[in-house]
């Protein structure tokens, strides 16, 4: 949010430097993220002065040029060569002196230098309107008033305004501060805390009166729940045109583009007081009636941007007597009822709409306007009439119009202020320091929070309705603390702690594993829990019926809660690869969300993503490409750190992997790990292999909590490891080989692992190569070579018979 310092000073007279004011606003919770200098004309015409043309003669070497001598207030006149046809002796003109920088419409500058033009020296430039940014005229130089004194800065003549604009990172709860008045209120409270008393000056509206009751619109609200308060006034004889310079400068300073004098006034009051307004062309409202209602589902309506929108039956609309839609209430005006250059009379609207209704409508139509931004967060319901009269007076002043109806305000139920009881004891407990009662009362008074009753233990308070974020005692304490100043709270250098019996800590376990992964070169990612509904179609293990759907999704890409961390992780992998970061090591602790019938369930996971090289390239280290064996070792490392060594490894049933295995403890699955299917990678535009591990973190924490340290003797007899490289048909999966191996040898075979997969043009078509490792061990004796060879031959024969495999 942008706040003009010059504008702010209209509410509160302060002569502080902008930086100092910005520091105080930040201390008050209105964080100033930056301060920008803004000039109504870039460069502020610095170096441009009033000059008096003393002499003007034709250039001896050019027919269209003149040689002039100009008094610019210095000790002696300067010579300037000028090409304007209207230059003449005796004129007062704007002169850009040597060293001045002028800027064109694009903001590109050029510097005035001393030079020679056709042999005659020129020490400056006599300027036209467009060269100074004061207009578009270029037929000749500007001729200024005769009574101006040579040497006077032109910036003073044309009231060039220099402003400083605060960029405030406003939190969504502070709807009361979404205006210059709101920021001024907070600033006054902060100044009062420092002992500086400043009056809050608000624009007077006492001059408003109705010239004649010549144009009246009956206001009819059909649903006061959606529109608790609605006000309007009619103004005729308006002349649509450009706004005055001061108004345009105010809007431009905060990044709002001027449109016309009526629309500019509504924007001005919105940013001044925080009350959105809308002006209708009165001649386009039929039947002399304004109806606030909802329309049938599917009704078509064209908004100001020329887009035809399909309305919902829940969208609140402003309509005429025939219930023809004129405006989406609180969100966007209609193309047919807006103010144009032909408008001569307007109906000016000011209202308080239901925040939830406006938020739903804005999201439904993908609209985010200055008006909806404020309505959906909650505006001051008691400022509706004041803002309307303020805007009406400005429109009368600027357009020459006249109010021709009473200010009609419709609201059946008064919107009451909030009542809260605040305990002094709770203030001290929450802040951690006891503040004097008088200090607390003064802070509350500076925030316009009234004391309704007082006891020894606390205060009964009445909070203004515009403070929608202050409705509990804790909110009151937060208000006191931010105005008192977080930096003013004393703290002890002594740390007190109690010793508790050691117990399992899931957070500590998570941090331990995270630190282990970081040491191994991993970076943590945190993906959005909202994702595309279509992702579940990439895996048969996921069911669209289990999606947790959003009622009001921000977009189609964020319509459901994720059922898997895989797809959001692949988005991050793709994003990095597309930016030439091909070596990936990511981990994420996150949750998945599922709907089973009428019950909802969320599960915690740890996922790993590895792709590209294992380590960064270096001259003294060979390049190592990530493979399945590498991520399997990483998974083993995590499980061993958690005390799980004797886990069972089986082929995975998860179809997101082209090849993969599952680590389990008994019947409890702990981890799925493998190579992501090329079909899924293609959906994300990823052309390199990606290895993925998915830990069921809830299960792991559950079994880790009761995991006891067991000491067992090392095997007396050594294990034996043998490898086979097999040439197989592509349709053969690792799980088929795994099962066949244990069927062939059930006693001595302990482990079967897949450590390499190769598919390439060096193999016959339709073939692939698997490298398998087999671990053999006899617990009663040492295995002999003949026995080992017999087992390996049996395994080889089984693979040849069942899968047509051959040794590679």
């Amino acid at each position: 949010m942008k706040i003009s310092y010059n504008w702010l000073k209209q509410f509160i007279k302060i002569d502080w430097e902008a930086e100092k004011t910005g520091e105080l606003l930040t201390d008050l919770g209105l964080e100033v993220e930056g301060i920008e200098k803004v000039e109504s004309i870039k460069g502020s015409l610095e170096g441009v002065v009033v000059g008096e043309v003393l002499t003007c003669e034709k250039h001896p070497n050019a027919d269209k040029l003149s040689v002039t001598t100009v008094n610019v207030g210095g000790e002696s006149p300067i010579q300037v060569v000028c090409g304007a046809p209207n230059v003449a002796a005796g004129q007062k003109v704007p002169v850009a002196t040597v060293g001045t920088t002028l800027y064109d419409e694009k903001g590109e500058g050029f510097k005035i230098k001393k030079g020679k033009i056709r042999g005659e020296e020129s020490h400056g430039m006599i300027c036209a309107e467009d060269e100074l940014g004061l207009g578009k005229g270029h037929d000749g130089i500007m001729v200024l008033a005769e009574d101006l004194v040579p040497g006077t800065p032109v910036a003073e003549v044309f009231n060039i305004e220099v402003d400083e604009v605060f960029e405030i990172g406003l939190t969504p709860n502070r709807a009361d501060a979404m205006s210059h008045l709101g920021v001024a209120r907070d600033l006054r409270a902060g100044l009062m805390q420092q002992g500086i008393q400043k009056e809050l000056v608000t624009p007077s509206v006492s001059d408003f009166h109705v010239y004649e009751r010549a144009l009246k619109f009956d206001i009819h609200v059909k649903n006061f729940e959606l529109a608790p308060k609605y006000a309007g006034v009619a103004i005729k004889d308006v002349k649509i045109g450009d706004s005055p310079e001061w108004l345009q400068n105010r809007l431009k300073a905060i990044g709002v583009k001027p449109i016309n004098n009526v629309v500019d006034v509504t924007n001005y009051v919105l940013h001044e007081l925080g009350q959105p307004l809308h002006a209708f062309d009165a001649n386009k409202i039929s039947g002399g009636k304004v109806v606030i209602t909802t329309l049938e589902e599917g009704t078509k309506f064209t908004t100001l941007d020329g887009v035809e929108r399909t309305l919902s039956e829940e969208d609140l609309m402003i309509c005429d007597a025939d219930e023809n839609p004129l405006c989406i209430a609180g969100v966007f005006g209609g193309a047919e009822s807006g103010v144009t250059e032909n408008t001569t009379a307007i109906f000016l609207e000011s209202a308080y709409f239901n925040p939830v209704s406006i938020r739903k409508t804005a999201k439904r139509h993908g609209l985010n306007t200055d008006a909806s931004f404020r309505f959906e967060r909650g505006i001051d319901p008691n400022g509706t009439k004041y803002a309307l009269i303020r805007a009406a007076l400005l429109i009368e002043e600027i357009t020459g119009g006249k109010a021709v109806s009473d200010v009609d305000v419709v609201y059946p139920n008064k919107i009451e202020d909030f009542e809260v009881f605040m305990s002094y004891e709770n203030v001290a407990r929450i802040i951690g320091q006891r503040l004097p009662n008088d200090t607390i009362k003064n802070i509350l008074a500076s925030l316009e929070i009234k004391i309704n009753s007082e006891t020894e233990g606390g205060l009964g308070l009445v909070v203004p309705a515009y403070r929608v974020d202050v409705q509990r005692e804790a909110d009151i304490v937060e208000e006191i603390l931010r105005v008192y100043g977080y930096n003013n709270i004393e703290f002890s250098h002594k740390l007190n702690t109690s010793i508790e019996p050691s117990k399992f800590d899931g957070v500590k376990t998570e941090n331990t594993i995270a630190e282990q992964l970081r040491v191994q070169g991993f970076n943590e990612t945190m993906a959005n829990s909202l994702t595309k509904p279509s992702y579940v179609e990439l895996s048969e293990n996921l069911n669209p019926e289990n999606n947790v759907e959003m009622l009001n999704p921000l977009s189609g890409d964020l319509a459901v809660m994720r059922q898997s961390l895989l797809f959001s992780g692949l988005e991050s992998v793709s994003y990095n690869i597309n930016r030439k970061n091909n070596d990936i090591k990511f981990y994420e602790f996150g949750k998945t969300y599922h709907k089973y019938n009428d019950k909802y369930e969320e599960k915690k996971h740890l996922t790993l993503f590895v792709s590209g090289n294992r380590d960064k390239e270096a001259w003294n280290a060979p390049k190592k490409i990530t493979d399945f064996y590498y991520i399997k070792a990483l998974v083993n490392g995590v499980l061993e750190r958690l005390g799980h060594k004797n886990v069972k490894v089986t082929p995975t049933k998860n179809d997101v992997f082209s090849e993969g295995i599952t680590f389990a403890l008994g019947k409890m699955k702990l981890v799925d790990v493998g190579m992501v299917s090329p079909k899924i990678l293609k959906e994300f535009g990823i052309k390199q292999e990606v290895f993925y591990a998915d830990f069921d973190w809830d299960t792991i924490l559950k079994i880790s909590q009761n995991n006891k340290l067991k000491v067992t003797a090392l095997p007396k007899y050594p294990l034996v490891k043998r490898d086979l490289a097999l040439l197989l048909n592509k349709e053969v999966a690792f799980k088929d080989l795994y099962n066949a191996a244990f069927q062939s040898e059930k006693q001595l075979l302990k482990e079967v692992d897949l450590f390499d997969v190769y598919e390439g043009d060096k193999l016959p078509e339709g073939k692939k190569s698997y490298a398998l490792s087999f671990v053999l061990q006899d617990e009663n004796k040492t295995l002999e070579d003949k026995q080992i060879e017999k087992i390996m031959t049996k395994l080889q024969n089984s693979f040849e018979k069942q899968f047509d495999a051959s040794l590679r």
Side-chain angles (χ1 to χ4, degrees):
M1 181 182 72
K2 294 181 182 294
I3 293 294
S4 157
Y5 199 18
N6 289 348
W7 201 341
L8 193 63
K9 290 176 182 177
Q10 292 182 350
F11 287 97
I12 187 166
K13 306 301 181 184
I14 184 173
D15 57 1
W16 283 9
E17 292 182 354
E19 288 76 11
K20 187 176 180 181
T21 301
E23 290 174 3
L24 178 55
L25 290 175
T26 299
D27 289 342
L28 290 166
L30 304 179
E31 184 179 358
V32 176
E33 298 175 340
I35 302 174
E36 179 187 5
K37 182 179 179 181
V38 176
E39 302 160 314
S40 57
I41 291 180
K42 188 171 183 179
S44 297
L45 300 184
E46 186 176 350
V48 182
V49 299
V50 174
E52 181 180 8
V53 181
L54 302 178
T55 64
C56 178
E57 299 177 355
K58 283 190 176 183
H59 194 292
N61 301 318
D63 294 337
K64 295 184 179 182
L65 298 178
S66 300
V67 179
T68 65
T69 56
V70 185
N71 175 15
V72 292
E75 295 180 0
S76 58
I78 62 172
Q79 179 171 295
V80 178
V81 177
C82 179
N86 65 327
V87 65
Q91 292 175 334
K92 298 291 179 62
V93 294
V95 180
T97 57
V98 173
T100 299
T101 300
L102 299 178
Y103 297 87
D104 59 19
E105 292 181 354
K106 297 180 180 179
E108 298 177 357
F110 64 95
K111 193 171 184 179
I112 305 300
K113 300 178 181 178
K114 174 184 175 182
K116 283 188 177 183
I117 301 177
R118 295 289 185 95
E120 294 294 330
E121 289 189 356
S122 184
H123 297 266
M125 174 179 169
I126 303 176
C127 303
E129 281 185 1
D130 63 335
E131 292 167 336
L132 297 178
L134 294 170
K136 298 182 179 180
H138 195 72
D139 295 337
I141 59 169
M142 289 186 72
V143 179
L144 307 176
E146 295 181 0
D147 59 347
L148 294 176
V149 179
T152 302
V154 169
E156 296 179 8
V157 177
F158 292 100
N159 296 319
I160 304 303
E161 186 172 357
V162 179
D163 199 355
E164 290 169 294
V165 176
F166 301 108
E167 181 66 47
I168 296 180
L170 197 66
T171 52
N173 64 306
R174 290 302 308 277
D176 64 293
M178 294 179 184
S179 65
H180 286 76
L181 173 61
V183 174
R185 278 193 301 244
D186 259 22
L187 182 58
R188 182 187 63 164
L191 291 171
M192 290 176 67
Q193 182 60 27
Q194 297 189 12
I196 303 172
Q197 300 294 327
K198 291 289 183 180
E199 182 183 0
L200 190 64
V201 182
T202 55
S204 173
V205 295
S206 60
D207 292 339
F208 177 81
H209 66 279
V210 180
Y211 289 85
E212 57 175 322
R213 289 169 177 79
L215 186 61
K216 178 174 174 56
F217 289 94
D218 292 328
I219 297 174
H220 180 51
V221 179
K222 288 193 174 182
N223 189 332
F224 284 106
E225 183 180 348
L226 299 182
K229 193 171 187 178
Y230 192 91
V233 65
I235 304 173
K236 75 172 188 177
D237 297 335
V238 297
K239 294 180 180 179
I240 306 300
D242 292 336
S243 296
E245 193 173 1
W246 69 265
L247 177 53
Q248 292 196 42
N249 288 342
R250 283 283 180 268
L251 296 177
K252 288 177 182 177
I254 60 172
V256 177
K257 183 180 179 182
I259 299 174
N260 61 52
N261 45 14
V262 171
V263 175
D264 291 350
V265 166
T266 61
N267 285 330
Y268 180 85
V269 173
L270 178 143
H271 291 282
E272 180 184 51
L273 304 178
Q275 171 68 54
L277 305 164
H278 188 70
F280 299 87
D281 189 323
N283 295 321
K284 297 178 181 177
I285 304 176
S286 66
K289 194 173 183 180
V290 175
V291 181
I292 298 88
T293 186
T294 55
L295 300 176
E296 291 183 1
E297 183 79 28
T299 301
K300 302 296 183 181
F301 177 65
T302 303
T303 46
L304 278 170
D305 56 1
V307 176
E308 185 180 72
R309 303 180 188 276
T310 302
L311 301 178
S312 164
E313 61 182 5
E314 296 181 357
D315 292 333
L316 187 64
M317 302 296 296
I318 312 299
C319 304
D320 60 17
D322 300 324
E323 294 198 1
N324 296 314
L326 305 174
C327 172
I328 302 178
V331 180
F332 213 15
E336 299 300 324
S337 62
V339 174
T340 67
E341 58 184 10
N342 298 319
T343 299
T344 58
I346 65 169
F347 174 76
L348 189 62
E349 163 198 278
S350 180
Y352 175 78
F353 296 120
N354 183 296
V356 175
S357 171
I358 299 301
R359 185 181 303 116
K360 288 182 177 180
T361 294
K363 299 298 183 207
R364 189 179 296 118
H365 295 289
L367 294 169
N368 182 21
T369 61
D370 284 337
S372 67
F373 184 80
R374 287 159 175 79
F375 275 128
E376 65 188 40
R377 286 161 175 79
I379 61 169
D380 181 6
N382 297 319
T384 303
K385 182 177 179 180
Y386 171 69
L388 180 64
I389 297 175
R390 165 67 170 159
L393 285 170
L394 286 172
I395 289 173
E396 288 179 347
E397 174 190 338
I398 293 171
T399 70
K402 297 177 181 179
V404 289
S405 77
D406 292 316
V407 175
D408 194 1
V409 184
V410 179
Y411 67 110
N413 301 309
K414 183 180 179 182
I415 300 173
E416 301 289 347
D417 294 336
F418 307 112
E419 293 188 3
V420 180
F421 181 80
M422 182 210 73
S423 163
Y424 287 127
E425 192 61 37
N426 284 338
V427 173
R429 178 180 59 82
I430 295 172
I431 292 179
Q433 177 179 325
R434 191 172 295 278
L435 305 182
N437 290 355
D438 287 342
T439 299
I440 292 174
K441 292 177 186 177
N442 290 335
I443 290 174
L444 293 174
S446 71
L447 293 169
E448 300 181 357
I449 298 175
K450 299 175 183 178
I451 298 175
N452 195 30
S453 62
E454 182 175 4
T455 66
E456 290 185 3
L459 301 171
L461 303 173
V462 178
V463 182
Y466 64 78
R467 289 308 307 270
V468 294
D469 61 321
V470 183
Q471 300 185 27
R472 305 170 301 162
E473 184 181 33
D475 300 329
I476 296 288
V477 177
E478 182 183 0
E479 290 297 292
I480 294 170
L481 181 55
R482 73 178 182 85
V483 176
Y484 182 77
Y486 291 93
N487 297 333
N488 296 324
I489 299 298
E490 299 174 1
F491 63 93
S492 174
H493 294 282
K494 181 181 178 181
L495 177 64
N496 297 319
T497 185
S498 58
I499 300 175
E500 295 183 1
S502 176
K503 60 181 181 180
F504 180 80
D505 188 340
V507 175
K508 185 177 180 180
T509 301
E510 186 174 312
N511 291 337
T512 299
I513 298 304
E515 183 61 30
Q516 175 176 325
L517 293 170
R518 283 193 290 268
V519 169
Q520 293 174 315
F522 277 78
N523 293 306
E524 184 175 12
T525 63
M526 289 187 290
N528 198 334
S529 296
L530 299 176
T531 188
K532 295 181 181 180
S534 59
Y535 280 158
V536 298
E537 298 173 4
L538 299 177
S539 170
E540 294 181 1
N541 296 89
L542 303 176
N543 190 338
E545 294 181 359
N546 300 136
N547 275 336
V548 179
E549 299 179 349
M550 297 294 99
L551 294 178
N552 294 295
L554 295 173
S555 70
D557 291 344
L558 301 171
V560 300
M561 306 287 280
R562 61 184 177 182
Q563 288 195 51
S564 170
L565 272 66
L566 171 63
F567 308 116
S568 56
L570 288 178
E571 288 177 348
S572 297
V573 172
S574 174
Y575 183 89
N576 278 267
I577 291 175
N578 289 339
R579 285 152 183 81
K580 304 302 180 183
N581 180 25
N582 298 318
D583 302 328
I584 305 295
K585 284 185 179 180
F586 291 156
Y587 76 93
E588 179 183 4
F589 285 99
K591 292 183 177 181
T592 58
Y593 306 86
H594 313 267
K595 179 183 178 182
Y596 300 111
N597 296 323
D598 294 330
K599 295 182 179 180
Y600 293 89
E601 184 178 309
E602 59 182 55
K603 302 175 183 178
K604 187 73 175 287
H605 294 258
L606 164 63
T607 56
L608 307 182
F609 291 87
V610 182
S611 186
N613 295 325
R614 297 187 188 182
D615 303 296
K616 291 184 178 180
E617 292 187 27
W619 66 271
N620 59 350
K623 182 190 296 185
K624 292 183 179 180
I625 302 296
T626 296
D627 54 21
F628 174 82
Y629 209 65
Y630 176 64
I631 193 169
K632 179 174 177 289
L634 292 170
V635 171
N636 272 323
V638 171
L639 293 176
E640 289 183 7
R641 183 68 179 270
L642 295 171
H644 307 300
K645 295 183 179 180
N646 299 319
V647 294
K648 182 181 179 182
V649 178
T650 59
T652 186
K653 297 180 180 179
N654 195 331
D655 64 352
V656 301
F657 300 104
S658 59
E659 299 294 341
I661 56 176
T662 295
F663 291 81
L665 194 62
K667 295 183 178 180
M668 293 183 290
K669 184 179 74 172
L670 303 182
V671 194
D672 283 333
V673 58
M675 181 192 302
V676 180
S677 167
K679 178 183 176 181
I680 294 178
L681 294 180
K682 186 178 180 181
E683 291 291 325
F684 294 86
I686 300 174
K687 297 180 180 179
Q688 63 188 52
E689 292 179 342
V690 177
F691 296 90
Y692 169 64
D694 182 8
F695 293 76
D696 186 335
W697 196 247
D698 287 331
T699 300
I700 289 174
L701 289 182
K702 181 179 179 181
I703 62 176
S704 299
Q705 187 172 355
N706 301 318
N707 193 33
K708 296 181 179 180
L709 183 65
K710 294 182 180 180
V711 179
T712 57
L714 292 172
K716 291 183 180 181
Y717 303 101
L719 57 82
V720 176
K721 187 175 181 181
R722 291 290 187 270
D723 297 337
L724 285 179
L726 301 175
L727 190 63
L728 302 156
N729 294 325
K730 281 190 175 182
E731 60 270 15
V732 178
F734 168 63
K735 65 179 179 180
D736 300 325
L737 300 171
Y738 180 92
N739 294 332
F742 280 103
Q743 288 174 0
S744 298
E745 178 54 51
K746 298 180 181 179
Q747 294 183 349
L748 302 181
L749 182 61
K750 303 299 181 182
E751 294 180 21
V752 179
D753 281 333
L754 173 67
F755 66 89
D756 188 41
V757 178
Y758 174 73
E759 296 182 32
D761 53 7
K762 295 182 180 180
L763 298 179
E765 187 176 351
K767 296 289 185 178
K768 63 181 177 181
S769 173
Y770 272 5
L772 305 177
S773 65
F774 303 87
V775 175
L776 308 172
Q777 189 176 39
D778 191 330
E779 296 178 357
N780 300 313
K781 64 179 180 179
T782 301
L783 289 173
E784 296 179 354
D785 289 342
K786 288 184 178 180
Q787 194 176 6
I788 296 169
E789 289 300 324
K790 183 179 179 181
I791 293 173
M792 294 306 298
T793 300
K794 184 166 61 171
L795 290 172
Q796 181 180 340
N797 291 337
S798 176
F799 295 150
E800 289 176 353
K801 182 177 180 181
Q802 294 187 49
F803 308 110
D804 194 24
S806 60
L807 292 179
R808 186 177 174 217

